[in-house]
C-alpha cells in the first residue's frame, strides 16, 4: 500500500507512469455518499507526483488543475493514472485521470512540480 488514509495500491509502475487503485469507503465521501472532490484531488496529486518520482527526482507540487467530470459512490473502486509529460531540470509536468469501475472518466488533472533534488531511499516514510 502506498499510504494509509486513501488506501491506494500500486497496480502498475514504470518510468514516468503509475496506475493506482483504491476502494471508496465512507471516510472518502461527502455528506451525499459520493467520493469527495478533495479525495479525488489528493489521489490525482499523488498519482502525478509519484509518476515524477519514477524519474528519480524529489518533487513538490507548485500548481494543479482538476476538472471533475463525474462522481462515484461509496463502494466503488477507482483507478488513477499519473503520467509525466515533461521532465525538465527544475520543473516537471504531469497529467492525471481517474476512472470508476465502469471505466467512466471521473477526473482529468494536470500539475507542475518543482524538482528539489534527487529522490533517495531515505525519502520513503518510516512505518512503525
Amino acid at each position: 500500500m502506498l499510504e494509509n488514509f486513501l488506501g491506494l495500491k500500486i497496480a502498475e509502475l514504470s518510468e514516468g507512469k503509475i496506475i493506482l487503485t483504491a476502494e471508496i469507503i465512507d471516510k472518502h465521501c461527502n455528506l451525499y455518499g459520493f467520493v469527495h472532490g478533495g479525495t479525488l484531488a489528493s489521489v490525482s496529486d499523488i498519482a502525478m507526483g509519484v509518476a515524477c518520482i519514477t524519474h528519480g527526482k524529489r518533487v513538490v507540487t507548485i500548481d494543479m488543475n482538476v476538472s471533475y467530470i463525474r462522481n462515484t459512490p461509496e463502494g466503488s473502486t477507482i483507478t488513477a493514472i499519473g503520467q509525466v509529460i515533461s521532465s525538465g531540470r527544475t520543473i516537471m509536468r504531469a497529467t492525471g485521470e481517474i476512472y470508476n469501475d465502469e471505466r467512466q472518466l471521473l477526473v482529468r488533472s494536470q500539475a507542475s512540480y518543482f524538482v528539489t533534488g534527487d529522490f533517495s531511499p531515505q525519502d520513503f516514510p518510516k512505518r512503525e
Side-chain angles (χ1 to χ4, degrees), residues 92-105:
M92 296 183 77
R93 289 187 174 78
T95 60
E97 294 178 336
I98 301 176
Y99 296 89
N100 65 12
D101 329 62
E102 300 168 10
R103 294 287 301 154
Q104 295 172 316
L105 183 64

Side-chain angles (χ1 to χ4, degrees), residues 9-14 17-21 50 54 80-82:
K9 296 179 179 139
I10 298 172
E12 184 180 313
L13 183 66
S14 59
K17 183 177 180 181
I18 188 166
I19 299 176
L20 302 168
T21 61
V50 173
T54 65
I81 303 167

Side-chain angles (χ1 to χ4, degrees), residues 46-108:
I46 291 168
M48 293 183 292
V50 173
C52 291
I53 290 170
T54 65
H55 282 266
K57 297 179 182 180
R58 178 188 281 177
V59 297
V60 294
T61 311
I62 55 176
D63 70 43
M64 187 168 97
N65 176 277
V66 180
S67 295
Y68 299 100
I69 314 295
R70 166 176 281 133
N71 213 325
T72 198
E74 179 181 350
S76 299
T77 298
I78 60 170
T79 300
I81 303 167
Q83 193 157 359
V84 173
I85 58 171
S86 173
S87 181
R89 190 175 54 79
T90 58
I91 303 289
M92 296 183 77
R93 289 187 174 78
T95 60
E97 294 178 336
I98 301 176
Y99 296 89
N100 65 12
D101 329 62
E102 300 168 10
R103 294 287 301 154
Q104 295 172 316
L105 183 64
L106 305 177
V107 168
R108 181 164 281 147

Side-chain angles (χ1 to χ4, degrees), residues 1-10 20 27 46 50 119 121-128:
M1 191 176 310
L2 186 60
E3 53 66 63
N4 290 326
F5 181 77
L6 296 169
L8 297 173
K9 296 179 179 139
I10 298 172
L20 302 168
K27 68 182 177 181
I46 291 168
V50 173
F119 190 81
Q122 290 77 25
D123 291 325
F124 287 104
K126 306 286 184 281
R127 304 258 177 178
E128 294 181 26

